[in-house]
């Protein structure tokens, strides 16, 4: 079963991955955006770790709602409200249970991802974070590893796509041939679940 400590480890592992990969995320964003994605998420997840230490939320749901709220208030740019919504809605869907299982997490993450799609108006194939998150949710019920592999494959599959949402869409056909930075960071978020479970 997955308790609040598991969800705190998930957020810590994500923050560490974002620190490790910040330069790559910024490089990806410099190709088809404004070169701030790595810095945006570093600022956001450092703040998340600080607020989780300060508030010490005691359930899986509150760990994610507190983290999501912090991302919304600290990350400028499109990705702050989108990732914030993802975590808040996922946390809300987990309710006030002290422990949840993998299936419940997969289902809750599905509602979080649906909320991201609703907020940003993007769907599968638009070359956004959803192209990593949607396949991850579909595979996560099987195992964390399957979810992470699906997120990675989904992120890689954004390379040949033309962006239809967000800043990259301003480039039109010139967005083709580049990996979407938000899909890359979403793959890190899902891979961090595997680390949290280890
Ligand atoms: P900004 O584009 O404001 O500079 P970031 O660079 O932090 O914000 O994040 C860019 C990422 O946000 C994109 O690579 C994409 O994955 C994601 N994104 C942008 N707009 C949307 C949207 N409408 N729906 C889903 N994801 C989006
Ligand atoms: Mg950007």
């Amino acid at each position: 079963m997955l308790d609040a400590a598991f969800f705190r480890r998930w957020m810590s592992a994500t923050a560490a991955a974002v620190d490790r990969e910040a330069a790559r995320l910024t490089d990806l964003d410099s190709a088809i955006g404004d070169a701030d994605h790595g810095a945006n998420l570093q600022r956001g997840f450092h703040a998340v770790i600080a607020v989780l230490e300060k508030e010490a939320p005691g359930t899986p749901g509150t760990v994610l709602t507190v983290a999501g709220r912090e991302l919304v208030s600290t990350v400028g740019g499109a990705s702050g409200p989108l990732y914030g919504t993802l975590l808040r809605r996922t946390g809300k869907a987990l309710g006030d249970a002290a422990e949840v299982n993998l299936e419940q997490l997969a289902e809750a993450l599905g509602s979080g991802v649906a909320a991201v799609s609703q907020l940003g108006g993007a769907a599968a194939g638009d070359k956004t974070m959803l192209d990593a998150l949607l396949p991850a949710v579909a595979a996560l019920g099987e195992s964390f590893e399957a979810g992470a592999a699906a997120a990675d494959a989904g992120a890689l599959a954004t390379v040949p796509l033309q962006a239809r949402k967000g800043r990259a869409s301003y480039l039109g056909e010139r967005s083709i041939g580049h990996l979407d930075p938000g899909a890359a960071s979403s793959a890190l978020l899902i891979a961090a679940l595997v680390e949290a479970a280890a």
Side-chain angles (χ1 to χ4, degrees), residues 29 32-38 40-41 75-80 82-83 116-117 119-123 127-130 165-168 179-186:
D29 197 31
I32 57 170
D34 58 354
D36 65 355
H37 192 55
N40 281 345
L41 291 188
V75 181
S79 62
L82 292 164
Y83 274 122
V116 170
S117 177
L119 176 67
K127 196 178 179 102
T128 71
M129 57 176 69
L130 290 170
K165 283 285 181 273
R167 213 176 272 283
L179 203 153
D180 177 64
S185 58
S186 285

Side-chain angles (χ1 to χ4, degrees), residues 10-79:
W10 181 24
M11 294 296 101
S12 300
T14 302
V18 164
D19 277 340
R20 277 196 311 269
E21 302 281 330
R24 183 174 72 97
L25 296 175
T26 287
D27 281 352
L28 293 173
D29 197 31
S30 73
I32 57 170
D34 58 354
D36 65 355
H37 192 55
N40 281 345
L41 291 188
Q42 264 193 310
R43 183 169 60 252
F45 277 96
H46 284 175
V48 164
I49 298 315
V51 77
L52 290 179
E53 255 166 43
K54 185 166 152 251
E55 295 191 15
T59 62
T62 50
V63 169
L64 296 187
T65 53
V66 166
R69 188 193 66 206
E70 197 65 16
L71 287 179
V72 172
S73 63
T74 57
V75 181
S79 62

